[in-house]
Amino acid sequence: MAGRTFSIALGIAAVAFATAARAESINAGERPATAERPFAVEAVAAFDTPWAIAFLPDGRMLVTEKPGAIFLVTREGGKTPVEKVPDVVAAGQNGLLDIASAPDFAESRTVYLTYVEPGSGGGSLALARAKLAESEGAAALDDLAVIWRQQPAGGRGQPGGIIAFDPGGRHLFLTSGDRMRPQTAQDPDDTRGKVLRLNLDGSTPADNPQATAGGARAQTWTMGHRNPYGLAFAPDGKLWLHEMGPRGGDELNLIEPGKNYGWPVVSNGDNYSGSPIPRHATRPEFAAPPLYWNPVIAPAGMVIYDGAMFPAWRGSALIGGLGAMALIRVAFDGSGGADEADRWEMDDRIRDVAVGPDGAIWLIEDNSPGRLLRLTPSD
Ligand SMILES: [Ca+2]
């Protein structure tokens, strides 16, 4: 009797421990997409390989094109080219990448942009800021200054380059891809394969995990990433990232300062050559993804929805699927867990997701022409 009670107690303790430790990762790779979409899709404009959408407070958008152009776009699809865009390395995955309006844009007119800057060894990821100037129907980036550069320089594809601001608008978070040099992600003196946390002028915050170490270490918030194309804060303050893995290893990660996410030591996928990589479960010292996709979706772009048009999706992540040619909704459990809730078929590779002031969802297609799409509730 006593023995049996003990066994039951042990069993309950084991379940409680598993829940607290969140040891399990969910694989959503095999989930089907549905053509039954609860939204209407309106094509508003078209671009040459668009990469990112950034809303301005007045409801207009900035849209980047990977070959090196920026447009100011109205909700009706009117396009104004933005002049004085910096030169970029436009090849393969590299080019003009993300754009974001500063938290104080309404007063400062400041925008931030990322791109692969021409230079040695295949170019380097750069973060610049500029003022968006407008007059008589024309627009330009004035006073552009590079405020951060990848160190050391060079690499191939996989640039990362996603910008996010903390909810207080005091810090800028930047994803820096491994540039197809996997070992850089575990080198603490290399900015590649990291999430970096910077002040809004590009300097290093004094309260970063290794702020006194200088160089890449001081800028680093988390390490062990491959190619992160999604980074967003949820309303509860949690920071979520997705990253493209190797074959079968796309991940959604909860980002917490100082942690190491394991690439290339562990992955839930394998190398494209076919050689295996040890799984996350074999090395608990690395933070494991609560959600991963094997086979991959090739995630790109992410917002945490907080708008009015789709109230049931508030607090969910909306993620574009390049390989999946889909829009994916991920729901969170509030304690670090996540699961794929919906996957809707789209007609092309989805590169970025944004939400307008009225709560409409906006997508861009990774194509040339790649369309800018506005999604509103079907009924
Ligand atoms: Ca990982």
Side-chain angles (χ1 to χ4, degrees):
M1 190 69 177
R4 188 176 168 205
T5 305
F6 183 62
S7 297
I8 291 168
L10 255 186
I12 292 168
V15 169
F17 177 78
T19 304
R22 202 162 287 291
E24 292 157 74
S25 294
I26 294 172
N27 180 15
E30 302 278 6
R31 303 281 176 85
T34 178
E36 291 174 29
R37 305 183 299 208
F39 46 77
V41 179
E42 175 193 4
V44 171
F47 297 88
D48 175 9
T49 327
W51 209 93
I53 310 166
F55 268 94
L56 302 180
D58 65 8
R60 294 181 299 165
M61 291 155 267
L62 291 165
V63 175
T64 62
E65 290 182 341
K66 192 169 64 175
I70 301 174
F71 290 89
L72 187 56
V73 183
T74 68
R75 211 180 73 160
E76 293 74 31
K79 293 164 65 176
T80 303
V82 177
E83 308 295 335
K84 297 161 77 174
V85 173
D87 290 338
V88 305
V89 175
Q93 299 172 1
N94 298 328
L96 180 57
L97 306 172
D98 205 10
I99 192 159
S101 56
D104 67 348
F105 177 88
E107 298 81 43
S108 71
R109 305 278 305 176
T110 299
V111 298
Y112 292 83
L113 58 155
T114 57
Y115 52 97
V116 177
E117 188 180 38
S120 60
S124 299
L125 182 65
L127 169 69
R129 67 173 176 177
K131 304 280 186 191
L132 180 66
E134 283 188 81
S135 66
E136 296 173 3
L141 296 180
D142 277 353
D143 305 327
L144 185 128
V146 175
I147 60 170
W148 175 90
R149 285 186 167 95
Q150 172 197 315
Q151 293 290 339
R156 294 163 62 200
Q158 295 175 191
I162 303 296
I163 299 163
F165 299 100
D166 69 330
R170 294 177 302 129
H171 298 108
L172 185 154
F173 292 77
L174 174 67
T175 72
S176 179
D178 75 355
R179 305 300 316 281
M180 295 182 173
R181 291 179 176 172
Q183 73 285 355
T184 61
Q186 293 295 328
D187 180 348
D189 294 311
D190 193 312
T191 59
R192 292 171 287 192
K194 310 294 187 303
V195 173
L196 309 168
R197 180 175 178 259
L198 307 173
N199 292 318
L200 299 185
D201 63 0
S203 62
T204 302
D207 57 349
N208 271 4
Q210 300 181 72
T212 58
R217 291 177 194 244
Q219 297 172 354
T220 296
W221 192 247
T222 58
M223 65 190 294
H225 301 289
R226 185 174 178 272
N227 189 25
Y229 279 153
L231 184 71
F233 277 92
D236 65 3
K238 288 188 176 68
L239 179 59
W240 292 94
L241 165 146
H242 66 59
E243 58 186 286
M244 289 205 190
R247 188 169 68 192
D250 290 350
E251 300 182 352
L252 182 77
N253 284 305
L254 176 61
I255 295 300
E256 296 177 314
K259 287 194 173 179
N260 186 328
Y261 292 76
W263 175 253
V265 183
V266 291
S267 173
N268 289 343
D270 296 316
N271 290 306
Y272 280 98
S273 66
S275 63
I277 304 171
R279 295 292 177 252
H280 263 285
T282 65
R283 296 289 295 270
E285 68 269 37
F286 298 120
L291 182 62
Y292 68 98
W293 291 272
N294 186 349
V296 299
I297 56 170
M302 175 165 64
V303 292
I304 313 283
Y305 190 79
D306 198 22
M309 280 195 190
F310 299 93
W313 300 347
R314 284 189 192 135
S316 289
L318 298 173
I319 298 171
L322 292 169
M325 300 214 305
L327 176 64
I328 290 144
R329 182 171 75 90
V330 168
F332 302 107
D333 68 6
S335 55
D339 198 0
E340 181 176 317
D342 290 294
R343 186 185 299 196
W344 299 291
E345 287 178 9
M346 300 303 295
D347 300 323
D348 208 336
R349 296 158 55 86
I350 301 302
R351 170 58 75 178
D352 198 17
V353 188
V355 177
D358 61 359
I361 297 164
W362 295 74
L363 309 178
I364 42 175
E365 296 170 334
D366 179 51
N367 209 334
S368 183
R371 299 178 301 169
L372 172 68
L373 307 174
R374 180 171 184 258
L375 277 46
T376 52
S378 302
D379 37 289

